[in-house]
Amino acid sequence: MAACNLVAHLLKPGDHVIVSDDLYGGCTSFFLGAAKNNYGLEVSAIDLGDLKLLQSTFKPNTKLLWLESPTNPTLKVLDIVEIAKLCKEKKVICVVDNTFMSPYLQNPLQLGADIVAHSCTKFIGGHTDLITHVPVSYTHLRAHETSLHLVCRLLLEKKKKKKKKKK
């Protein structure tokens, strides 16, 4: 959820966001709830497997598209390359939640995405001792890097203290 929130702060009230209609429930709740009601974002949830529908959903104020591939929970695979191309044409930030693939199996930045959210909970950490998504971007998150690094460093320090206490 923090990754969704961080990325939403790249936008301003009145901006339009397109999300997959098959996102993880927490992300769906965030975009259709908090992002819409608290941040003033306009949100469209559509089947991103239908590229014609996607093309017709873009608006002049569309600034962000959020997808997950494979999706959670139905494991639908979306065409990241084609979706990213459409986003580039429209100057829309393309975000891929890469929860089920990990950076070892799929690198959305190399497929054209602007931002990728990697789940450290499932495949990177893998021991249920870490609950986090790490948003990664070549360009879009520079203003947030300092706070993200600080949070990660604090989490690591806290984990080290717990290990010392156990000894």
Side-chain angles (χ1 to χ4, degrees), residues 135-151:
V136 179
S137 173
Y138 293 132
T139 57
H140 294 284
L141 298 174
R142 295 206 191 279
H144 298 289
E145 284 178 1
T146 304
S147 59
L148 182 62
H149 285 128
L150 177 62
V151 168

Side-chain angles (χ1 to χ4, degrees), residues 15-144:
D15 285 346
H16 178 238
V17 178
I18 299 171
V19 299
S20 172
D21 64 355
D22 192 19
L23 288 180
Y24 162 69
C27 291
T28 300
S29 294
F30 172 79
F31 282 110
L32 296 178
K36 217 174 186 179
N37 301 327
N38 300 340
Y39 301 157
L41 300 177
E42 183 183 342
V43 182
S44 298
I46 65 165
D47 177 3
L48 291 176
D50 183 342
L51 295 178
K52 288 181 183 175
L53 174 61
L54 172 58
Q55 185 72 265
S56 68
T57 304
F58 283 106
K59 300 177 178 187
N61 62 328
T62 303
K63 303 296 181 201
L64 182 85
L65 179 141
W66 185 289
L67 69 97
E68 188 175 3
S69 185
T71 62
N72 177 6
T74 64
L75 301 177
K76 181 166 65 174
V77 177
L78 299 172
D79 190 341
I80 296 170
V81 172
E82 287 304 313
I83 293 171
K85 280 182 191 174
L86 286 172
C87 287
K88 296 257 186 285
E89 288 172 14
K90 304 286 186 180
K91 296 183 177 20
V92 169
I93 298 169
C94 179
V95 182
V96 177
D97 182 334
N98 204 39
T99 294
F100 281 137
M101 292 303 282
S102 85
Y104 182 77
L105 297 172
Q106 174 175 275
N107 191 328
L109 293 177
Q110 291 176 349
L111 299 174
D114 297 302
I115 300 172
V116 60
H118 291 296
S119 172
C120 293
T121 308
K122 291 177 179 59
F123 299 113
I124 296 174
H127 303 287
T128 64
D129 59 346
L130 184 65
I131 299 176
T132 188
H133 253 81
V134 177
V136 179
S137 173
Y138 293 132
T139 57
H140 294 284
L141 298 174
R142 295 206 191 279
H144 298 289

